[in-house]
């Protein structure tokens, strides 16, 4: 009887370990910011690709090792409107996504090189977010897709 229990326990462990081989593990980093609108905004980043979230004076950034992936700022509704007007008014800017609360763009002739940007309102808040990246569009979109923003 003891031998059957021991064998069953060993089989269970082997099945569990074997079932976990193809599983992927995600890790996350979150920061909560008290922003100028009075909102508390929680930013969460999936760090599985090696990215990290950092707070800087009046802004935040996403880095992968020493490489800057994004620089971002929180905005009041007036700042958001001015930023949107500036983006739309810049010749050569290609609007990629144009929704009611989300605008993304690509600007090949950016001052520091080709720029991918995202401008959006955090759901349920008075806070806008403007993020820009000098990475190629696909890499920037991938990194942006691993982020969430929510009002607390």
């Amino acid at each position: 009887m003891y031998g059957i229990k021991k064998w069953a326990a060993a089989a269970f462990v082997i099945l569990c370990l074997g079932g976990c081989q193809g599983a992927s593990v995600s890790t996350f980093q979150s920061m909560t910011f008290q922003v100028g609108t009075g909102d508390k905004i929680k930013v969460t980043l999936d760090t599985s690709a090696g990215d990290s979230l950092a707070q800087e004076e009046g802004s935040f950034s996403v880095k992968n090792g020493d490489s800057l992936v994004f620089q971002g700022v929180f905005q009041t509704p007036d700042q958001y409107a001015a930023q949107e007007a500036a983006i739309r008014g810049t010749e050569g800017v290609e609007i990629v996504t144009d929704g009611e609360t989300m605008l993304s763009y690509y600007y090949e002739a950016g001052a520091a090189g080709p720029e991918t940007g995202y401008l959006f309102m955090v759901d349920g808040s008075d806070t806008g977010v403007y993020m820009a990246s000098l990475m190629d569009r696909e890499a920037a979109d991938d990194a942006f897709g691993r982020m969430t923003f929510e009002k607390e």
Side-chain angles (χ1 to χ4, degrees):
M1 184 74 161
Y2 175 74
I4 292 174
K5 286 183 182 178
K6 189 174 179 182
W7 179 84
F12 179 74
V13 169
I14 290 169
L15 285 173
C16 286
L17 292 175
C20 294
Q21 275 183 321
S24 64
V25 176
S26 292
T27 56
F28 297 89
Q29 179 184 8
S30 294
M31 289 186 175
T32 301
F33 298 87
Q34 182 72 46
V35 298
T37 61
D39 292 330
K40 277 183 160 180
I41 305 297
K42 181 179 179 182
V43 180
T44 302
L45 172 67
D46 179 338
T47 58
S48 302
D51 296 335
S52 62
L53 186 60
Q55 179 178 355
E56 300 173 9
E57 273 189 51
S59 67
F60 63 92
S61 64
V62 175
K63 294 182 179 177
N64 191 298
D66 291 334
S67 299
L68 181 64
V69 178
F70 280 112
Q71 187 76 26
V73 294
F74 297 103
Q75 297 183 319
T76 66
D78 288 343
Q79 291 168 326
Y80 178 94
Q83 187 70 56
E84 181 179 12
I87 291 167
R88 292 184 186 281
T90 301
E91 189 173 324
V93 167
E94 174 190 343
I95 303 296
V96 178
T97 304
D98 194 358
E100 188 174 317
T101 59
M102 171 66 168
L103 176 73
S104 68
Y105 69 90
Y106 178 72
Y107 184 41
E108 191 168 335
E115 177 180 307
T116 303
Y118 307 84
L119 179 67
F120 58 94
M121 294 297 293
V122 176
D123 289 341
S125 78
D126 291 322
T127 302
V129 177
Y130 175 55
M131 297 172 53
S133 176
L134 298 177
M135 297 175 63
D136 66 74
R137 285 167 63 169
E138 191 174 295
D141 284 345
D142 180 57
F144 180 72
R146 291 189 312 257
M147 299 184 75
T148 60
F149 295 79
E150 60 186 312
K151 180 181 176 185
E152 287 201 323

